[in-house]
Amino acid sequence: MTQIDIHKGAEAESPYVPKMARILSAEQMTETERFFRIEMEEAPLAYQPGQFVGVTVFGVGEAPISICSSPTQGDAFELTVRSVGLVTNKLKEFGEGDRLGIRGPFGNTFPYEEMKGKDVLFVAGGLGLAPTRSLIRYVLDNRGDYHKVTILVGARDPSLLLFRDELEAWTGRDDVETLVTVDRPDKAWSGNVGVITRLFAKIQLDAAATYAVIVGPPVMFKFTVLEALAEGVPENRIICSLERHMKCGVGKCGHCQIRGVYVCREGPVFTYEQVKRLREGI
Amino acid sequence: MLPQVLKRNDLAAWVEALMADRTVAGPVLKETNVSDPSDEKFEWTVLEDAGDLRLDYNLTVLGPKSFLWPPRQQLVAYRLDDGPDPQPLIEHEPTVLLGVHPCDATAIATLDTAFGKDIPDPHYLARRADTAIVGLDCAAPCHESSFCLDMGSLYPDSGFDVMLTPMGEVIFVEAATDLGRALVKSAAVRPATKDDMEARQKFAEEKRSNFHYKLPYELKYLPEVLEQSYDSLVWEAIARRCFSCGSCNTTCPTCYCWDVTDDIADDLSGGVRTRRYDSCQLDTFAEVAGGENFREERSSRLRHRMFRKGKYILEQTGRVGCVGCGRCERACVAKISIKDTYVQIAGTR
Amino acid sequence: MADKPTLAFFSLACCEGCQLQVLAANEKLLPILERADIVRFREASDGDADHYNVTFLEGSIVTEHDIERAKAIRAKTDVLVALGACATIGGVNVIKNFQESDDVAEYVYGDKKDWFPHIPTRPLKAEVQVDVEIHGCPINTCEFLEVAKCLLMGKPYRQPNYPVCVPCKLAGNVCLWHKGVPCLGVVTRAGCEPFLCPSAGHKCIGCRGLVDNPNTEAAADVMAEFGLTVEEVFREFSLFQGIYDDVAKMK
Amino acid sequence: MAEATKSMNVRVDYVTRVEGHGNIVAKVEDGQLVDTKFEVTESPRFFEAMLRGRSWKDAMFLVTRICGICACGHGTASLRATEDAMGLEISEQTERLRKIVLHAEQLESHWLHCYFLVAPDFFGAPSVIPMAKTHTDVVLRAMRLKGLSHEICEVLVGRHTHPISMVPGGYMKLPSVRGLKKLRDRIASFEADVLATVDLFATLTPPAFARETEYESITHPDEYAFFQGDLMTSDGDRVEEHDYRRIIHESIVQHSSAKHVRNKRESLMVGALARFNNNHAQLGCQAKEAADKLGLSAPEFNPFHNNTAQIVESVHCYYDLLRLMDELIEAGIQDEKPPLQWPEGRSGEGVGIVEVPRGTLVHHYEYDEHGIVTGANLVIPTNQNLANIEADFRAYIPQLLDEGKSEDEVRHALEMLVRAYDPCISCSTHLVEVQFE
Ligand SMILES: Cc1cc2nc3c(=O)[nH]c(=O)nc-3n(C[C@H](O)[C@H](O)[C@H](O)COP(=O)(O)OP(=O)(O)OC[C@H]3O[C@@H](n4cnc5c(N)ncnc54)[C@H](O)[C@@H]3O)c2cc1C
Ligand code: SF4
Ligand code: SF4
Ligand code: SF4
């Protein structure tokens, strides 16, 4: 049984007070996704790939957002926000110099240490590229530590593709295989067409030596996992990042629970093996 | 400290003494039933008059929990200009909760663990640390919905500073902590005599014989019984009647899920981030942007509550997630009973 | 001055109690008046304008003329807020829809019934687009202020989507069902705190309409177990919620 | 006479600062008034018809929705009618509680009307909103006073619009003595504001105009009647409640969805001035002093003095409220329960008449043996005044024309006259004679 020291806890700092941060730059990436580069006003954010922060727009509310940059990129950090509701729509109006509240970082991290020396396969659908990019950048910045790196990216149509410049840069690299596909091409699109699982046919996988990092909407996740399993990637090396309703980020408010697991603390990164056991995971 | 006794007639004086230093909350008469005036309803409230305290109370809708963990609690205040300067709002005042039944004391111990573990929550803990808990032992079940004996909350090991046992003309007073011993100092107590001790013993025996087990298995098997029922059709059958009104959660002494809103001050100069009780039975509890709802079905929400109470909280904190007080059953207009559900699932797969 | 958003208040068929709840905000209105111009509030003021940023429209539609007025007002405003039960769900005015229309008029105006033509009662959204709903009969001043603040801050207002039981329990009320009084709180949208009917001792009569996903079947079942006849159940629901199919079906 | 007034067409659509929708029409040709009307364009709401089929428990919840300002008055009249039909006697405690709520409502309504709706005319402001800047102390006082009534209603019946706790036979929730004591002290703290209100209105002079009419109200031997009593008029008629139709004769006119009412003359007047004219001797001493200060003495035939009478009544109600509170506190609150069942097998009619801010309000129901309403008749104060307002127009317009007033001035004066009556047009439910067989 956990022993609790009430009096010590009473003196603790409140985990619910945001710290002030300033937007260094902001850019509308697609119609609904906005990219921010942010700097904490006091101590820099100490985070690792896979974690997320709570972003406060004062007077409006807070939303959990994955950090899409890698700590290797310096003190500032980056977010990609899709406008869907109260906070995220308001963020559309935010730009350089505007101030936000930030809590966190929260959550566990991608197992980037454990993955060293292994092949890494990234599969990112839609907004799933945001959290994935954090690890991609980390791996690319420590390229020597990892074996083969493959990046598969899918979007519904070309206008929804995130980080297009970076996708191009990665495509141009010899030490990374990058494939991009869209479900519905437009006239200018000359690349792959079709759901992301179709890209599996185009790559060589050493399944036993691979970590597959799969992040995307629930349907995409479901089928990509099946594909990876079919290729022979072990369940405990299929890594995903889950989204849940969250209010506190510190394992109290109860919203993010999947069965007995608090996604905000024990996740958002899980192996497929864990998710499968949870049953309500996907 | 040796057990002591307080004459019933001296109780009010003690309560007044406590009221001089601290906010004292306890059970008082709330109202009588419109359909049956002999049916008294009680509530936990801050005492304005020591004479209002009713040690013979039976049930309350909300327990003493709301003094430690108020239905609405302000967390952070900020301004709505260029310098929001967010500041924590941590409010507490010396308080005594007087007359906490064993089930509620057990529940408080569970809440302490939930809010204190990992990353501590000072908004709860600061109130908790400033609150003395005076327990009140019960001689018989409050209601047919209670199953505190099964849930192991009838004999709490912690969650109180003093335990009172009313026995006729005297009240047996046992201080369990330093704070408790300090509180008792202002009471006109005398050391318990051999007769008092015997009376106490008799009370305990009678108490034991008044309570009966209601589950057909021991508490330690509950998590497994639940796990085996995960795919049972029973959830669907029970949930058909569920209104998703959340009354079960809002009244539960161990529920602690919450929602947060940013409330703008009336003069629009600032805002306050406020949390309020939330309920996993409400439609939108697990809904995320884009409309995906991870527990869309009433049955999956109902199952989640029953699992959380009987399994998850226990696994997370090592303390029971349900103290068997029966509040949720009584609060439920559809008469959905956690006790009956736990009985029912033992016989299903 | 010109940059301030303009607000207007209008009413159709109703008791105008909702506008009174706005006035009841008293000094809390002052910060809003500083940031916005009320250009039309007939109950308190003379004056008008050609265009409004936000219009609060109370009352339900009971005549052809009401439809025209609602449309004309809609055309002049950016944001239309339905103020109160009459506007959001038709209010008590819907009760007459369950009687023969001719009989209703004749009962009240006798052989002069044709002087006062009327149509079946309907809420605003049946005829015009409504952007924000403030439920309640009457509305709750706190909620009005909340909506006004949200509008001024450019923040969408999200109405509660859970039943009255939630705030009722948080207020520590003994459930009326347990006192022998059937209460509609179990399926009625919350948001009336701190003026909950059960907190004042009486059943919820459903003035804020149904929550989005009400279990009306369970409600009817529970009421039946409680000893209410189908007719009585309908009578309970139809005081305010007659506009919903779930309820109309019971008739 | 000024050329401009030779002929005019005064039309005021939607008179502002009154409750509900009403239009003034006045046609002047060659300096002669040819036609004038006060149109009530409020959409008809058919409350009497809607009452049919409602249960005795819910009738009050329906009729309070007739008017947001007089919700407690409608509620009280409705409960009295239902209790009459049930043969229920209410306790002294219930009666006191009901009277307190009625008083609180008079206060709220009178203050709202005088400060928010009438005062702007005297201060030359289009509304109370700009007055917040020019006469801040007056507006803040008005808000404080208005807030007081809300506080009283919140403690006693849950809220002012629409009351919750009161039901046939009593209360679903009673206030505590402790709560009443707090409230009493709170009310007592408003005395200075009440007196300042008298002083303020003593400085305002109503327009000079007088027309004698028949003044109708209830009257009671023991008190200045609001809650119960016989129906009477200044012309000497007096009947008990059930016979209200011997004084109140209703008719339908095409330009008004609200019905007109008369007794022996072409029209009659109800409201504060009518009550004052009929019952002034029973006012409390503070109210009598206020009347002196305000220059009001019975009989008063200037309808603009309805506002003055409202201020006098507010003083009466304020002090009477304190008295009633003291009596309640003294007696302690008894845990009385209202009946939850309709009396077995009983059917029949019930009438409840109360004085609401705008005048005499009648609720008349017929119940079947299950406690379901089978017929209803409501007489709304504003309706009773409509014919009188038109009669005033006919007398006042020629006077204004004689005084050489311009079209705008006439329009403004007529609007002020309408406002003086404090018409609550949303109340105009109205109805025709319904014969209960
Ligand atoms: C770990 C994690 C990482 C995320 N990373 C990103 C990211 O990188 N980029 C991005 O654009 N989005 C991300 N999201 C989703 C993002 O948090 C939600 O879109 C956001 O909370 C919606 O907030 P809002 O105020 O704009 O919408 P609201 O108006 O509050 O809500 C819209 C809908 O979302 C639901 N909702 C409310 N609060 C939450 C919540 N805290 N979490 C999820 N759903 C909620 C509501 O029930 C409603 O249905 C992430 C979510 C999680 C849990
Ligand atoms: S109290 Fe009953 S009806 Fe309400 S959510 Fe809980 S189980 Fe469902
Ligand atoms: S789950 Fe029900 S019985 Fe258990 S502690 Fe909560 S309210 Fe009491
Ligand atoms: S009284 Fe009504 S609103 Fe309150 S809990 Fe019971 S059913 Fe719900």
Side-chain angles (χ1 to χ4, degrees):
Chain A
M1 203 182 290
T2 333
Q3 274 313 314
I4 299 299
D5 184 340
I6 294 167
H7 294 274
K8 202 159 141 248
E11 301 299 317
E13 196 181 328
S14 168
Y16 308 124
V17 183
K19 297 206 163 46
M20 294 308 300
R22 194 172 290 275
I23 298 174
L24 299 177
S25 64
E27 181 197 338
Q28 199 66 33
M29 269 202 279
T30 70
E31 205 172 302
T32 48
E33 271 98 4
R34 192 163 175 83
F35 172 83
F36 298 94
R37 192 166 169 76
I38 299 171
E39 189 178 55
M40 299 305 294
E41 294 188 355
E42 286 160 21
L45 194 74
Y47 70 97
Q48 296 172 56
Q51 292 194 292
F52 64 96
V53 289
V55 180
T56 291
V57 174
F58 291 98
V60 178
E62 188 183 55
I65 303 291
S66 311
I67 303 170
C68 66
S69 55
S70 154
T72 51
Q73 288 174 253
D75 281 350
F77 59 97
E78 294 163 358
L79 306 175
T80 308
V81 179
R82 171 178 289 175
S83 14
V84 290
L86 289 182
V87 176
T88 49
N89 273 320
K90 199 75 192 171
L91 279 171
K92 262 190 154 173
E93 300 164 19
F94 278 61
E96 189 189 330
D98 288 337
R99 300 173 80 200
L100 294 168
I102 296 286
R103 287 195 308 127
F106 297 127
N108 65 355
T109 72
F110 286 118
Y112 56 91
E113 289 293 339
E114 192 185 313
M115 290 158 77
K116 283 186 176 155
K118 298 289 196 310
D119 290 359
V120 190
L121 167 67
F122 293 101
V123 192
L127 188 57
L129 183 55
T132 316
R133 176 179 176 264
S134 164
L135 183 60
I136 295 176
R137 294 288 301 240
Y138 184 87
V139 167
L140 295 183
D141 288 343
N142 296 283
R143 187 63 190 88
D145 290 346
Y146 299 87
H147 201 239
K148 192 171 150 200
V149 175
T150 312
I151 303 173
L152 309 182
V153 174
R156 248 181 306 132
D157 65 59
S159 75
L160 297 176
L161 272 178
L162 305 174
F163 301 105
R164 290 187 80 151
D165 296 350
E166 274 167 76
L167 290 179
E168 255 167 54
W170 299 340
T171 315
R173 279 171 79 141
D174 297 342
D175 58 352
V176 187
E177 186 177 10
T178 307
L179 295 175
V180 181
T181 182
V182 299
D183 296 355
R184 289 189 306 252
D186 58 15
K187 290 219 178 72
W189 184 256
S190 58
N192 298 302
V193 174
V195 291
I196 203 162
T197 42
R198 289 184 188 275
L199 295 179
F200 274 79
K202 306 196 178 207
I203 55 167
Q204 293 292 324
L205 266 188
D206 178 0
T210 297
Y211 272 87
V213 178
I214 306 175
V215 190
V219 210
M220 169 240 152
F221 180 74
K222 209 172 268 176
F223 289 100
T224 312
V225 167
L226 289 179
E227 201 70 37
L229 289 172
E231 293 282 343
V233 182
E235 288 184 351
N236 62 353
R237 291 198 183 165
I238 298 177
I239 315 287
C240 61
S241 174
L242 299 185
E243 185 191 337
R244 280 297 183 280
H245 194 127
M246 283 179 192
K247 289 295 180 192
C248 72
V250 293
K252 308 281 183 216
C253 81
H255 281 272
C256 69
Q257 285 176 94
I258 305 177
R259 308 263 254 135
V261 169
Y262 279 88
V263 174
C264 66
R265 280 186 58 77
E266 291 158 68
V269 177
F270 293 95
T271 65
Y272 177 64
E273 192 186 20
Q274 292 170 316
V275 171
K276 201 176 83 173
R277 246 184 302 130
L278 286 176
R279 304 195 51 188
E280 286 172 17
I282 35 171
Chain B
M1 199 186 280
L2 289 172
Q4 296 167 310
V5 293
L6 176 68
K7 285 219 275 318
R8 214 173 250 270
N9 289 341
D10 293 333
L11 175 67
W14 182 40
V15 176
E16 268 162 30
L18 293 175
M19 283 166 71
D21 297 336
R22 291 171 168 259
T23 299
V24 179
V28 305
L29 179 68
K30 180 180 170 68
E31 61 190 314
T32 61
N33 192 340
V34 256
S35 10
D36 173 10
S38 67
D39 176 11
E40 294 182 316
K41 310 277 187 192
F42 300 89
E43 69 179 336
W44 270 87
T45 182
V46 171
L47 296 182
E48 286 185 37
D49 186 334
D52 291 346
L53 183 71
R54 288 283 298 265
L55 289 189
D56 61 337
Y57 82 109
N58 46 25
L59 311 163
T60 56
V61 175
L62 299 177
K65 173 179 96 166
S66 37
F67 292 90
L68 299 168
W69 162 226
R72 271 195 186 76
Q73 187 174 24
Q74 302 191 326
L75 297 178
V76 183
Y78 50 81
R79 294 200 309 271
L80 281 176
D81 51 24
D82 205 35
D85 191 24
Q87 292 297 330
L89 295 169
I90 298 178
E91 283 172 7
H92 55 98
E93 54 182 10
T95 302
V96 181
L97 299 179
L98 213 169
V100 178
H101 277 163
C103 53
D104 283 335
T106 309
I108 289 171
T110 300
L111 289 181
D112 291 350
T113 319
F115 283 107
K117 79 188 195 47
D118 305 329
I119 298 171
D121 181 317
H123 302 268
Y124 170 88
L125 295 166
R127 280 174 170 262
R128 177 65 182 90
D130 213 357
T131 301
I133 291 169
V134 178
L136 176 69
D137 206 354
C138 40
C142 298
H143 190 254
E144 63 197 16
S145 59
S146 6
F147 61 124
C148 38
L149 178 63
D150 297 81
M151 300 314 276
S153 68
L154 193 49
Y155 302 99
D157 58 346
S158 56
F160 59 92
D161 299 290
V162 182
M163 183 59 79
L164 306 180
T165 310
M167 307 181 305
E169 283 310 299
V170 295
I171 301 168
F172 209 77
V173 181
E174 289 158 290
T177 63
D178 289 343
L179 177 57
R181 281 180 277 277
L183 289 183
V184 171
K185 286 216 176 88
S186 56
V189 286
R190 60 166 170 77
T193 62
K194 189 156 156 283
D195 285 353
D196 295 327
M197 299 299 273
E198 274 167 19
R200 176 77 181 81
Q201 184 59 30
K202 202 160 144 268
F203 175 92
E205 281 160 18
E206 265 171 29
K207 166 176 173 168
R208 181 59 198 84
S209 67
N210 284 337
F211 285 85
H212 303 286
Y213 285 107
K214 302 199 174 153
L215 300 188
Y217 49 86
E218 282 178 58
L219 174 60
K220 65 178 179 208
Y221 298 120
L222 178 56
E224 185 52 28
V225 171
L226 279 164
E227 196 52 41
Q228 290 187 8
S229 75
Y230 188 83
D231 294 309
S232 166
L233 295 176
V234 83
W235 307 116
E236 179 57 38
I238 300 174
R240 263 221 288 278
R241 288 169 63 83
C242 176
F243 290 106
S244 301
C245 69
S247 290
C248 43
N249 296 120
T250 37
T251 57
C252 175
T254 65
C255 269
Y256 60 91
C257 290
W258 39 277
D259 191 16
V260 176
T261 51
D262 276 46
D263 303 327
I264 303 163
D266 285 330
D267 64 2
L268 293 108
S269 65
V272 173
R273 186 160 286 173
T274 308
R275 68 175 165 195
R276 62 195 69 193
Y277 289 8
D278 204 344
S279 153
C280 59
Q281 301 307 292
L282 303 184
D283 247 357
T284 53
F285 187 81
E287 187 181 278
V288 297
E292 182 93 34
N293 188 342
F294 293 94
R295 278 188 292 275
E296 192 167 7
E297 302 299 324
R298 285 182 216 283
S299 55
S300 64
R301 296 198 293 271
L302 189 88
R303 178 177 62 195
H304 181 74
R305 171 164 78 89
M306 299 293 182
F307 268 66
R308 189 160 154 76
K309 298 285 138 188
K311 178 169 154 61
Y312 306 152
I313 293 184
L314 186 64
E315 289 167 356
Q316 285 161 359
T317 68
R319 291 203 147 269
V320 281
C322 166
V323 297
C325 66
R327 279 196 181 85
C328 53
E329 173 178 340
R330 292 195 307 274
C332 181
V333 172
K335 299 198 180 75
I336 294 172
S337 153
I338 186 167
K339 161 177 60 64
D340 294 352
T341 306
Y342 286 170
V343 172
Q344 208 176 339
I345 54 170
T348 60
R349 274 288 130 109
Chain C
M1 281 298 267
D3 287 334
K4 284 193 193 172
T6 52
L7 312 181
F9 291 81
F10 288 93
S11 47
L12 299 171
C14 67
C15 77
E16 311 207 349
C18 290
Q19 288 198 35
L20 270 183
Q21 305 315 300
V22 173
L23 290 177
N26 283 342
E27 68 281 356
K28 289 188 179 156
L29 280 177
L30 299 176
I32 293 169
L33 292 176
E34 254 165 49
R35 286 171 175 78
D37 285 326
I38 297 190
V39 292
R40 168 101 193 187
F41 196 144
R42 204 191 35 74
E43 215 170 78
S45 143
D46 306 339
D48 200 359
D50 296 333
H51 178 259
Y52 322 110
N53 293 112
V54 181
T55 299
F56 296 89
L57 180 52
E58 61 175 358
S60 41
I61 291 176
V62 299
T63 63
E64 293 288 349
H65 179 65
D66 291 339
I67 300 181
E68 283 164 35
R69 278 196 74 211
K71 286 189 172 154
I73 291 167
R74 174 73 258 186
K76 284 174 76 174
T77 188
D78 298 335
V79 177
L80 182 66
V81 185
L83 197 64
C86 292
T88 60
I89 55 171
V92 293
N93 301 325
V94 173
I95 294 173
K96 81 178 171 69
N97 295 6
F98 296 108
Q99 303 178 2
E100 284 299 322
S101 146
D102 234 30
D103 173 55
V104 167
E106 188 169 332
Y107 187 70
V108 177
Y109 295 109
D111 55 357
K112 313 284 187 345
K113 62 174 191 259
D114 297 335
W115 287 357
F116 308 101
H118 69 119
I119 58 176
T121 306
R122 59 204 70 174
L124 296 184
K125 61 179 172 231
E127 299 293 340
V128 294
Q129 185 206 320
V130 170
D131 305 302
V132 184
E133 291 188 327
I134 307 183
H135 289 285
C137 180
I139 58 155
N140 167 3
T141 305
C142 309
E143 195 180 18
F144 168 79
L145 288 171
E146 195 55 41
V147 170
K149 286 185 284 186
C150 282
L151 288 168
L152 289 175
M153 297 272 302
K155 169 179 169 182
Y157 172 69
R158 193 168 291 158
Q159 62 182 6
N161 189 17
Y162 46 79
V164 177
C165 298
V166 174
C168 180
K169 281 287 150 17
L170 295 187
N173 295 329
V174 178
C175 180
L176 282 147
W177 288 86
H178 303 139
K179 298 194 250 176
V181 180
C183 171
L184 291 188
V186 282
V187 288
T188 302
R189 187 187 299 277
C192 29
E193 56 273 37
F195 302 109
L196 290 177
C197 293
S199 294
H202 213 283
K203 65 182 175 184
C204 164
I205 50 179
C207 75
R208 295 177 57 88
L210 295 173
V211 283
D212 281 351
N213 185 15
N215 200 344
T216 40
E217 256 167 61
D221 282 359
V222 170
M223 283 182 164
E225 283 164 28
F226 195 77
L228 268 62
T229 62
V230 177
E231 198 187 347
E232 284 164 333
V233 173
F234 172 73
R235 196 174 283 136
E236 294 289 332
F237 275 101
S238 61
L239 188 60
F240 275 98
Q241 301 180 336
I243 209 72
Y244 294 98
D245 290 344
D246 283 15
V247 174
K249 240 178 18 220
M250 290 179 201
K251 171 83 185 174
Chain D
M1 191 193 304
E3 195 63 16
T5 56
K6 269 252 163 92
S7 74
M8 51 172 87
N9 235 327
V10 176
R11 192 178 166 90
V12 184
D13 279 339
Y14 295 148
V15 181
T16 56
R17 287 185 269 142
V18 300
E19 298 285 315
H21 300 149
N23 305 332
I24 297 170
V25 182
K27 223 165 147 187
V28 175
E29 277 171 24
D30 290 332
Q32 294 298 307
L33 179 69
V34 292
D35 187 22
T36 182
K37 276 201 293 257
F38 184 51
E39 296 179 344
V40 172
T41 58
E42 185 76 16
S43 296
R45 294 177 73 207
F46 308 105
F47 271 95
E48 284 101 338
M50 293 199 292
L51 268 166
R52 297 175 305 170
R54 289 291 126 189
S55 132
W56 64 283
K57 291 182 194 166
D58 294 340
M60 185 198 86
F61 290 119
L62 177 55
V63 296
T64 46
R65 270 70 189 178
I66 292 173
C67 174
I69 290 201
C70 312
C72 292
H74 277 284
T76 308
S78 172
L79 294 181
R80 290 200 55 232
T82 299
E83 285 156 357
D84 186 23
M86 291 171 85
L88 262 187
E89 290 281 341
I90 58 167
S91 70
E92 203 175 4
Q93 171 175 299
T94 298
E95 187 173 318
R96 285 198 184 110
L97 288 166
R98 296 251 178 96
K99 284 179 178 168
I100 289 174
V101 168
L102 263 190
H103 278 357
E105 186 168 84
Q106 300 283 348
L107 290 178
E108 145 117 26
S109 178
H110 285 352
W111 284 330
L112 177 84
H113 182 239
C114 293
Y115 271 106
F116 283 59
L117 311 180
V118 175
D121 281 333
F122 289 98
F123 290 107
S127 82
V128 71
I129 299 168
M131 279 178 60
K133 289 228 164 56
T134 54
H135 297 80
T136 313
D137 54 329
V138 172
V139 173
L140 286 179
R141 189 198 310 137
M143 286 178 170
R144 272 197 305 276
L145 285 167
K146 207 160 66 64
L148 174 66
S149 302
H150 283 255
E151 281 177 48
I152 298 170
C153 291
E154 276 164 34
V155 175
L156 266 58
V157 286
R159 65 183 175 199
H160 171 231
T161 326
H162 301 291
I164 304 162
S165 315
M166 51 190 211
V167 293
Y171 284 77
M172 289 299 278
K173 183 181 174 188
L174 287 162
S176 65
V177 172
R178 212 174 270 156
L180 288 174
K181 281 186 180 149
K182 271 190 210 146
L183 183 62
R184 197 239 171 248
D185 293 346
R186 179 94 184 119
I187 298 171
S189 73
F190 276 78
E191 190 169 19
D193 281 340
V194 173
L195 297 178
T197 304
V198 175
D199 291 341
L200 172 73
F201 282 88
T203 63
L204 310 178
T205 322
F209 169 64
R211 187 183 71 81
E212 192 193 345
T213 183
E214 185 171 4
Y215 299 93
E216 175 205 323
S217 71
I218 57 171
T219 191
H220 193 275
D222 304 333
E223 61 192 12
Y224 188 87
F226 287 113
F227 180 71
Q228 61 193 1
D230 290 348
L231 194 61
M232 71 164 285
T233 80
S234 53
D235 287 354
D237 284 0
R238 181 163 175 157
V239 299
E240 71 89 46
E241 284 182 314
H242 281 256
D243 295 328
Y244 70 94
R245 283 204 173 93
R246 285 172 45 202
I247 288 182
I248 297 173
H249 304 273
E250 300 167 292
S251 65
I252 297 170
V253 291
Q254 191 157 11
H255 63 267
S256 158
S257 54
K259 280 204 30 199
H260 281 200
V261 168
R262 51 186 291 215
N263 182 23
K264 298 212 173 97
R265 308 192 190 202
E266 60 171 345
S267 68
L268 52 75
M269 180 175 184
V270 295
L273 187 61
R275 288 189 291 258
F276 176 82
N277 279 343
N278 291 352
N279 297 326
H280 59 94
Q282 289 162 303
L283 283 168
C285 55
Q286 300 92 338
K288 283 182 176 149
E289 271 170 41
D292 286 346
K293 205 169 201 168
L294 289 156
L296 187 69
S297 59
E300 172 59 63
F301 301 134
N302 180 349
F304 286 100
H305 266 305
N306 192 44
N307 300 140
T308 321
Q310 287 178 325
I311 299 292
V312 171
E313 281 192 341
S314 71
V315 175
H316 174 82
C317 291
Y318 175 79
Y319 287 100
D320 204 42
L321 197 64
L322 286 172
R323 179 186 66 81
L324 288 162
M325 294 288 289
D326 287 339
E327 284 177 9
L328 261 183
I329 293 167
E330 170 85 26
I333 290 289
Q334 311 308 313
D335 186 17
E336 299 168 349
K337 302 292 180 196
L340 293 179
Q341 301 301 327
W342 178 257
E344 179 99 34
R346 188 176 174 109
S347 63
E349 288 178 39
V351 176
I353 306 189
V354 299
E355 286 290 333
V356 291
R358 286 159 194 77
T360 314
L361 170 68
V362 183
H363 279 232
H364 180 181
Y365 308 151
E366 186 185 57
Y367 280 104
D368 72 8
E369 67 277 17
H370 304 295
I372 304 299
V373 180
T374 51
N377 187 29
L378 311 174
V379 184
I380 310 297
T382 293
N383 294 343
Q384 304 187 62
N385 277 335
L386 291 174
N388 206 56
I389 295 177
E390 285 185 4
D392 277 354
F393 281 177
R394 285 192 291 276
Y396 194 33
I397 294 170
Q399 175 187 327
L400 291 168
L401 296 175
D402 283 347
E403 288 166 8
K405 294 286 194 283
S406 72
E407 187 171 330
D408 265 355
E409 286 167 331
V410 171
R411 178 180 295 121
H412 185 64
L414 294 184
E415 272 198 79
M416 277 178 71
L417 176 66
V418 169
R419 274 203 283 274
Y421 276 87
D422 191 5
C424 177
I425 304 164
S426 31
C427 289
S428 31
T429 42
H430 221 101
L431 57 337
V432 90
E433 297 281 290
V434 184
Q435 290 305 332
F436 296 133
E437 245 85 20

